Amino acid sequence: MKETFVCVRCGEEHPISKQEAFDGQLLCPRCLNEATILCSWCGGRIWLADNAGTNDIPLCENCREENYSTCVSCGRLIRNEDARYRRSDEEGDYPYCSHCFSSAGTGGINDYGYKPTPIFYGEAARFFGVELEIDGAGEYDHKADRVLDVGNRDGLEHIYCKHDGSLEEGFEIVTHPMTLAYHQRKMPWEDVLAEAVSMGYTSHQAGTCGLHIHVNRNSFGPTEVEQDACIARILYFFEWHWEELLKFSRRTERQLERWAARYGYKEQPHEILDHAKKGGGGGRYSSVNLYNRDTIEFRIFRGTLKYNTLIATLQLVNRVCDVALLMTDDQLKALSWTTFAAKCTEPELVQYLKERRLYVNEPVEEEAEI
């Protein structure tokens, strides 16, 4: 007599040679295939009802727990090594799939490489883009969102936030290009800085932060030759007045060597530019970074959450650009710092120059930096 067994699932009798044992139960081959599945990670068999993954990625509970996450935006199952994170609160990081992370827009803290299409604010030839680093109170999306809510009120997209690996517990606030007048009159800098301070951030005091200012190259002339001549004079100004600018920057020589190196003084402006183009200085980490196609970047300044200092820094960069644009090489070479400072009339810049003992020997009591 032929030996048989009864499948616990379908209740039918089958030849004993067809029996499949799983989880202490005897199944026929059809029921085994219909009721169980192999974990795509470890290859172990599990009941279909216990699949902790998806139809396309079946997983046992242990493999799901140890090796996979769920995108908090779309719910897609993602391997831990493929997950992207946006720091949302102090208790932990929320995983995103690459698609949702990339399409998250300007909310929260974007990747370091994030670069939206620029929006230009104001009417003038010269625009300033500010990168302000803040640190010390966490790299959290919800805190960045508070800064964004203040800076982008009334439906205007003035700023966005980015990750910066040089910071310990902070992020970078970046503006779209704005004229100096727009920065002073319409960009809500005072409220943005106050919001950052209220959450415990610092910039100057953190010791890790910089204030970088981009200026559009085409504001120096319609041709590359004209632009280069003006940029050469900017580089010369920085080298000729390095000691005063170092004092203005609030940085140390060692900090500048690392983040905003000088090119080195030469007799003629074009010689400094030639040296820069041949890789002199610190490359992208030079006092005036020339590596960007559309802008030059002033990197010498230490970060600040003090409104007057921020505006004064923009005004100084604007004055330096004016001098380089309007003076000849010989006129620039004859320009002393005392003469340059004496012709600065902007209230914020004059106040800051006095605080730093850089304005015609008229020092004033300095307010603490933040």
Side-chain angles (χ1 to χ4, degrees):
M1 184 175 179
K2 195 172 185 180
E3 289 189 72
T4 61
F5 79 99
V6 176
C7 174
V8 297
R9 183 170 182 269
C10 66
E12 296 181 4
E13 193 173 313
H14 300 275
I16 195 72
S17 61
K18 299 289 186 181
Q19 75 177 6
E20 299 281 357
F22 174 68
D23 199 22
Q25 302 186 42
L26 297 179
L27 299 168
C28 67
R30 185 186 68 183
C31 288
L32 181 74
N33 289 332
E34 290 179 353
T36 68
I37 196 168
L38 298 179
C39 171
S40 62
W41 186 270
C42 69
R45 189 173 292 278
I46 55 176
W47 292 107
L48 191 61
D50 293 334
N51 180 11
T54 65
N55 291 335
D56 295 329
I57 311 174
L59 295 167
C60 66
E61 190 66 40
N62 285 342
C63 290
R64 168 67 176 81
E65 182 78 18
E66 295 177 4
N67 302 293
Y68 281 82
S69 302
T70 301
C71 174
V72 296
S73 181
C74 68
R76 177 186 172 191
L77 191 67
I78 43 176
R79 292 172 62 170
N80 288 340
E81 61 194 62
D82 296 328
R84 307 290 298 279
Y85 292 91
R86 300 172 61 83
R87 298 183 179 180
S88 299
D89 60 26
E90 291 87 343
E91 297 180 357
D93 295 342
Y94 294 153
Y96 287 77
C97 68
S98 58
H99 173 76
C100 292
F101 188 92
S102 298
S103 62
T106 57
I109 302 170
N110 296 283
D111 265 354
Y112 178 75
Y114 176 75
K115 191 174 183 180
T117 301
I119 304 170
F120 292 83
Y121 291 96
E123 298 292 334
R126 188 178 301 153
F127 290 85
F128 301 84
V130 171
E131 297 171 353
L132 173 61
E133 297 166 354
I134 63 176
D135 210 348
E139 187 181 3
Y140 303 123
D141 277 351
H142 77 274
K143 290 188 174 182
D145 285 337
R146 285 177 58 177
V147 172
L148 293 168
D149 286 344
V150 174
N152 294 338
R153 59 194 179 199
D154 300 325
L156 295 170
E157 189 179 328
H158 288 140
I159 60 175
Y160 51 95
C161 299
K162 293 169 54 174
H163 166 78
D164 190 309
S166 69
L167 305 178
E168 297 171 357
E169 287 293 335
F171 53 91
E172 184 176 69
I173 302 169
V174 186
T175 74
H176 284 275
M178 302 173 183
T179 64
L180 178 60
Y182 197 98
H183 274 289
Q184 295 178 129
R185 299 170 190 165
K186 295 187 178 180
M187 170 62 201
W189 272 121
E190 286 187 275
D191 295 336
V192 167
L193 302 182
E195 186 67 23
V197 171
S198 74
M199 291 187 286
Y201 289 100
T202 58
S203 190
H204 173 93
Q205 293 177 6
T208 54
C209 300
L211 168 60
H212 305 156
I213 299 174
H214 287 259
V215 177
N216 54 311
R217 285 176 178 264
N218 60 13
S219 67
F220 303 131
T223 69
E224 185 176 351
V225 171
E226 291 174 280
Q227 293 171 18
D228 277 358
C230 187
I231 292 169
R233 287 190 285 273
I234 289 173
L235 300 185
Y236 185 90
F237 183 94
F238 265 65
E239 293 301 328
W240 183 235
H241 300 295
W242 182 260
E243 293 302 320
E244 290 86 359
L245 290 170
L246 173 63
K247 199 170 184 180
F248 189 102
S249 76
R250 291 167 289 111
R251 288 190 185 270
T252 65
E253 282 279 12
R254 171 171 270 183
Q255 289 173 328
L256 291 181
E257 287 173 4
R258 182 178 181 186
W259 301 113
R262 65 186 300 179
Y263 289 106
Y265 176 78
K266 296 187 183 302
E267 289 295 329
Q268 300 298 330
H270 72 84
E271 292 177 340
I272 303 177
L273 180 61
D274 290 343
H275 176 62
K277 287 185 174 183
K278 292 176 182 176
R284 292 186 181 275
Y285 298 105
S286 296
S287 55
V288 183
N289 170 25
L290 307 180
Y291 275 63
N292 298 298
R293 184 184 66 182
D294 298 320
T295 68
I296 65 170
E297 178 190 18
F298 295 81
R299 294 181 51 87
I300 194 173
F301 310 108
R302 189 166 177 168
T304 184
L305 291 177
K306 182 178 169 185
Y307 174 75
N308 191 87
T309 300
L310 176 64
I311 296 301
T313 304
L314 284 165
Q315 291 169 343
L316 176 86
V317 171
N318 187 58
R319 289 279 297 125
V320 172
C321 291
D322 278 345
V323 163
L325 188 63
L326 300 175
M327 284 188 169
T328 66
D329 287 4
D330 289 340
Q331 288 172 331
L332 181 65
K333 292 169 69 175
L335 179 67
S336 68
W337 178 266
T338 300
T339 301
F340 171 81
K343 292 185 178 180
C344 294
T345 58
E346 302 88 337
E348 295 85 358
L349 180 54
V350 170
Q351 172 69 22
Y352 183 78
L353 289 171
K354 289 180 178 180
E355 289 177 357
R356 303 301 297 165
R357 309 299 194 263
L358 291 168
Y359 188 81
V360 200
N361 298 319
E362 289 188 34
V364 299
E365 185 176 348
E366 181 179 359
E367 297 179 7
E369 288 286 350
I370 306 173

